[in-house]
Amino acid sequence: QVHLRGDFQSIRIGRYCHIGTGTILRPPSYQTSLPGEEEQEPIKFLPLIVGSHTRIGKDCVVEAAAIGSSVYIGDDCVISKRVIIKDCCYIEKGTVIAPDTVIPPFSRVSGCPGVIVEEGLIPESVAVTSVDDCVEAFTDFV
């Protein structure tokens, strides 16, 4: 069972994506007025975009603004509000990424809070292998 909270704002998911059970995808929120101001602006939501050939593990909470293509997110991860994950990234199991973080392409992220363990060291062939893996998983499913 996966929870998609598309009632706040749109959620766009690319081709051949795999989303694990128990995962929650909800669009990120923001507020334009500062706390303590007399007149509070209503909370607004940004669309959530997930690129093609992306795998999101089990029991994750995702409030990212954008997740690129060929991204792997391990089980039990928390991707906080307005995070941008570029293409071909690997997010380790149990990682918690802080709000408003931008993860550069070909990066490996781990920890709580999530830090970039390797930047630019993931081979470029990961894009091709993730496409093949996702298409194969889809054909096995169907």
Side-chain angles (χ1 to χ4, degrees):
Q1 184 176 15
V2 175
H3 299 279
L4 303 174
R5 293 301 310 262
D7 52 338
F8 298 132
Q9 183 57 274
S10 64
I11 297 174
R12 290 187 285 180
I13 300 173
R15 298 177 297 165
Y16 301 112
C17 289
H18 177 267
I19 301 172
T21 58
T23 292
I24 300 170
L25 294 178
R26 60 181 170 232
S29 62
Y30 70 98
Q31 197 166 12
T32 55
S33 59
L34 297 172
E37 288 184 10
E38 286 184 26
E39 198 169 315
Q40 292 288 322
E41 289 287 323
I43 295 175
K44 298 176 183 173
F45 292 88
L46 298 169
L48 169 57
I49 301 167
V50 178
S52 298
H53 313 107
T54 292
R55 287 182 176 238
I56 301 174
K58 297 177 185 176
D59 300 318
C60 294
V61 177
V62 178
E63 290 188 84
I67 297 173
S69 296
S70 301
V71 172
Y72 177 86
I73 298 174
D75 297 342
D76 304 312
C77 289
V78 176
I79 312 298
S80 298
K81 295 178 180 183
R82 300 173 304 276
V83 169
I84 298 173
I85 301 174
K86 303 288 186 164
D87 296 341
C88 304
C89 289
Y90 188 92
I91 311 300
E92 299 278 349
K93 178 180 178 178
T95 300
V96 177
I97 299 178
D100 301 310
T101 303
V102 177
I103 309 294
F106 300 101
S107 296
R108 179 181 300 265
V109 180
S110 180
C112 178
V115 293
I116 298 171
V117 179
E118 296 177 342
E119 184 176 343
L121 296 178
I122 294 176
E124 292 180 19
S125 62
V126 74
V128 175
T129 57
S130 73
V131 168
D132 294 342
D133 291 344
C134 288
V135 171
E136 183 179 327
F138 178 76
T139 54
D140 290 344
F141 173 74
V142 175

